[in-house]
Amino acid sequence: MIFDKKGNLYLGDLEKNSIVKITPDLKMQTIVEDDEKLIWPDSYSISDDGYLYISNSQIQLMPWFHNGKEQFKKPFKVFRIKI
């Protein structure tokens, strides 16, 4: 999770493969949803020019959840969204 300078909170909705924004007045909005790309969105950063960066960790696809077999998709990616 991360807050921007305006007090908005950004976080990943792991069940819906999406990024959610919660405003200071507690209004919630899905800003992006993608079942193919946002696989366990994790680790956030906001740049000075107004982009939200999100890593795609794919934690639920790691070998320790699948009897030692890799289910994740390479390459791991970092996405950015203008906020």
Side-chain angles (χ1 to χ4, degrees):
M1 296 184 284
I2 193 167
F3 283 96
D4 66 13
K5 293 177 183 177
K6 297 178 182 177
N8 297 302
L9 175 65
Y10 298 88
L11 61 128
D13 181 339
L14 304 178
E15 292 180 355
K16 295 181 181 176
N17 299 318
S18 64
I19 303 299
V20 174
K21 172 184 171 181
I22 301 175
T23 62
D25 60 352
L26 302 179
K27 293 182 181 174
M28 188 167 70
Q29 170 190 6
T30 298
I31 59 171
V32 65
E33 184 174 353
D34 193 314
D35 291 335
E36 296 296 318
K37 294 181 181 176
L38 288 174
I39 305 170
W40 202 291
D42 190 22
S43 303
Y44 307 92
S45 180
I46 297 176
S47 63
D48 289 337
D49 59 349
Y51 283 93
L52 172 65
Y53 288 84
I54 307 146
S55 68
N56 186 41
S57 66
Q58 305 181 56
I59 290 173
Q60 81 280 22
L61 301 175
M62 294 297 165
W64 53 85
F65 292 118
H66 299 280
N67 297 317
K69 296 181 182 177
E70 296 177 353
Q71 300 292 318
F72 55 82
K73 300 172 187 172
K74 292 182 182 178
F76 290 94
K77 297 180 181 180
V78 174
F79 299 102
R80 75 177 189 164
I81 301 166
K82 185 71 172 173
I83 55 173

